Amino acid sequence: MGTGPRVVVTLSVLVDGNDLRIRSREHYLKALGDAGFDVLALDASTGVPDDFDALCLAGGEDVEPSRYGAVPAPQTESADPRRDALELALIATARERDLPILGICRGFQVLNVAYGGSLVQHVDGHREANGPIVVHRAAPAAGSKLAAACGTAAFSVNARHHQAVTDDSLGPGLVATAHIDGLVEAVEDPARRWVVAVQWHPERSADPDTS
């Protein structure tokens, strides 16, 4: 791991040594470590640390629908209310301190909920059941923080999600910075120095076919 700024990354609780979740963890930890961060990995069994410099909200389970005033749809999958609570507390702390936040997949969704938005509980075409993640093309909006980091030319992204955000369900204070198939796939808070979230998996760009 790196020795730079301390970044908290939130991860799913391992169940029965689930190999897919182990590999998913390794993607996040390696990407952040290779970027030079001092990485503190948390899951739902832990609390909010006293000291950290940035927050990365990783992929994982569905957000509990009650968090945004909805009842579960038939397609809604397993949720972890403890993880929801931890991440919402971490987001509140990071916003209070104006710390950088990066949301990825589920992290994109829970950030939207933290801002008062909601989720579409199921969409087709952005995840293959028990298969590889799906490749889409995304073009960041000009002038956005995402464009400053990635440019405005369209590029391939690796998606694996079945819940989504639309323009109508976007949280107040967030702006959409990329759309795919009519869905919001990237957001940011222009009032903060760095609050950016994407629906795709940048940590998997070197190994796109891993679930």
Side-chain angles (χ1 to χ4, degrees):
M1 297 297 175
T3 58
R6 190 184 203 197
V7 59
V8 164
V9 58
T10 55
L11 301 168
S12 297
V13 174
L14 289 177
V15 178
D16 298 327
N18 185 300
D19 183 57
L20 290 179
R21 288 191 174 179
I22 290 172
R23 283 188 286 156
S24 178
R25 284 175 174 241
E26 290 173 349
H27 282 295
Y28 292 110
L29 298 179
K30 184 178 188 305
L32 292 167
D34 287 350
F37 289 104
D38 175 19
V39 183
L40 175 60
L42 302 181
D43 61 30
S45 66
T46 60
V48 177
D50 292 330
D51 182 36
F52 61 100
D53 302 304
L55 173 62
C56 178
L57 304 160
E61 306 86 358
D62 288 354
V63 179
E64 172 59 48
S66 64
R67 294 286 181 178
Y68 48 93
V71 298
Q75 304 94 333
T76 299
E77 299 174 0
S78 61
D80 186 343
R82 297 179 305 159
R83 183 173 179 184
D84 293 344
L86 171 64
E87 290 185 332
L88 292 171
L90 284 164
I91 292 168
T93 298
R95 291 177 68 184
E96 180 181 352
R97 300 177 186 174
D98 198 22
L99 301 179
I101 301 174
L102 173 63
I104 296 173
C105 195
R106 171 198 155 87
F108 164 90
Q109 297 166 3
V110 76
L111 183 73
N112 188 59
V113 171
Y115 271 74
S118 60
L119 303 176
V120 177
Q121 293 188 50
H122 182 76
V123 294
D124 293 319
H126 288 246
R127 181 187 68 176
E128 290 188 26
N130 300 315
I133 53 183
V134 179
V135 177
H136 296 291
R137 301 282 290 177
S144 66
K145 292 180 174 66
L146 184 62
C150 303
T152 57
F155 58 93
S156 295
V157 298
N158 306 310
R160 195 176 192 280
H161 66 100
H162 82 112
Q163 297 199 310
V165 175
T166 65
D167 288 310
D168 290 338
S169 66
L170 195 61
L174 294 175
V175 298
T177 57
H179 290 81
I180 298 174
D181 297 339
L183 302 174
V184 177
E185 296 269 327
V187 298
E188 62 188 52
D189 181 348
R192 303 283 175 164
R193 62 184 172 122
W194 183 267
V195 174
V196 174
V198 296
Q199 184 62 86
W200 58 83
H201 286 275
E203 84 287 356
R204 294 179 182 173
S205 58
D207 188 11
D209 288 332
T210 302
S211 297

